[in-house]
Amino acid sequence: MHSSQILFLFFAAGIAGTLNALAGGGSFISFPALLFLGVPPVQANATSTVALWPGLAASTLAYIKRLNVPLRLLFPLLLTSVVGGWAGALLLLNTPQHTFLNLVPWLLLSGTLLFAFGNTIRGIAGKTAVIDDLSTMSLRSIIVSSCVELLVAVYGGYFGAGIGFIILGMLAALGMRDINAMGAIRTLLAAAINASAVVTFILAGAVMWRQCGVMVVGSFTGGWFGAHFAQKADPRKVRALVIGVGIAMSLYFFIKGA
C-alpha cells in the first residue's frame, strides 16, 4: 500500500472506532473506506469487522465498571450473541461477491435508518414497566430477549450497522433506564457478536491483513478515546454526523451501482 492509503485507512478506522464508542455507526466509515481502495465487498466487510473489533473491545473494558447484570440474564444474551454472530458471518461468506455488492447500498441504508430511528425504537420500548432489579425478571422475558438478541446477532455477523440501537431498544423493553449501564451491556453484546464473526472470518481466510493491521491500530486508538470522552461530546451532533455519513454512503453506492 502507498503511504497515502495507509494514512487514509488509519484515520478512517480511528474515526470509526471513536463513533462506535460514542454512538455506534463506525462501519459507515470503515467499510466504504475499504471499498474505495478496491477491496472486494465480502472481504471488505470481513476486514472491517476484524479491524474494528479491538476498538470495540477497548470500549468494553472502559465501560466494564458500569456492567451490572445478573448472570441468569447475561449468559443467554452472550450465548445467543456468539451463535448469531457466527451464523451471520457464515451467511456472508457464502454470499457471492456480486450479490453482496448489490446489497451494499441497501444494507447501508437500512443501517442508517436503524440508527436514525433508534431513539424511536427505544421510546416505544420505554413504555414498558421499569425494572430496577433485573434479577427479578421472569424466565419468559429472558427467553424472548434472547431470541431477539439471536436475530440481532445474525444481522450483526452479516453486516452489523445499527445493531447498537436495536440492542438499546431491547434493553429499554426489559425495563432498564440507566443509560450508562445500558451502554455497557450494548458494548459487551456487540463485542461478543463481532468476536464470533471475527474468528469465523479469520479461519475462512477472508481478511485482508495488510489493510486490517493499519485499521486495527486506528480503531483501537479511536475506541479508547471515544469511550473515555463520550460524556464530553454532544450526542445530537454525533448522531447527526453518523446519519449524514450513512446517507451519503448509501447514495454513493446506489448511484455507483446504477
Side-chain angles (χ1 to χ4, degrees):
M1 290 188 295
H2 299 299
S3 57
S4 59
Q5 293 176 321
I6 293 174
L7 287 174
F8 174 71
L9 287 179
F10 176 82
F11 283 108
I15 294 171
T18 301
L19 289 177
N20 276 343
L22 292 173
S27 56
F28 292 132
I29 301 291
S30 58
F31 175 57
L34 287 163
L35 291 181
F36 289 151
L37 294 185
V39 178
V42 171
Q43 282 77 10
N45 194 31
T47 302
S48 172
T49 300
V50 174
L52 293 186
W53 190 82
L56 194 58
S59 298
T60 302
L61 292 176
Y63 279 125
I64 201 69
K65 294 183 293 184
R66 301 282 187 174
L67 189 64
N68 183 24
V69 184
L71 189 60
R72 65 190 292 265
L73 172 61
L74 185 61
F75 179 77
L77 289 179
L78 284 174
L79 179 61
T80 50
S81 295
V82 171
V83 172
W86 169 74
L90 286 181
L91 181 61
L92 173 68
L93 293 174
N94 286 281
T95 301
Q97 294 281 3
H98 69 277
T99 300
F100 187 69
L101 185 60
N102 291 332
L103 289 174
V104 164
W106 295 102
L107 290 169
L108 286 171
L109 180 61
S110 65
T112 302
L113 293 176
L114 287 172
F115 189 91
F117 294 102
N119 285 334
T120 302
I121 296 174
R122 290 174 56 194
I124 294 173
K127 295 178 182 178
T128 58
V130 176
I131 301 177
D132 293 323
D133 186 1
L134 292 177
S135 63
T136 63
M137 185 175 299
S138 68
L139 178 61
R140 179 182 177 183
S141 296
I142 293 176
I143 293 175
V144 171
S145 301
S146 299
C147 290
V148 172
E149 178 61 17
L150 178 64
L151 295 176
V152 173
V154 171
Y155 171 71
Y158 188 79
F159 188 62
I163 60 171
F165 273 90
I166 304 176
I167 295 174
L168 286 176
M170 178 187 70
L171 296 175
L174 292 178
M176 293 190 67
R177 293 296 178 273
D178 184 341
I179 191 61
N180 290 317
M182 291 168 70
I185 300 173
R186 178 210 65 166
T187 307
L188 176 62
L189 295 181
I193 292 170
N194 284 301
S196 183
V198 162
V199 173
T200 305
F201 293 146
I202 291 175
L203 293 178
V207 181
M208 309 293 284
W209 285 110
R210 286 188 300 173
Q211 292 86 344
C212 186
V214 174
M215 297 180 78
V216 163
V217 178
S219 69
F220 187 89
T221 303
W224 185 259
F225 174 86
H228 283 281
F229 292 92
Q231 302 300 321
K232 299 180 181 181
D234 185 338
R236 292 174 298 179
K237 292 181 179 179
V238 175
R239 276 179 51 79
L241 174 62
V242 174
I243 293 170
V245 169
I247 292 174
M249 292 297 98
S250 301
L251 290 174
Y252 172 83
F253 286 105
F254 270 120
I255 295 171
K256 183 179 179 181

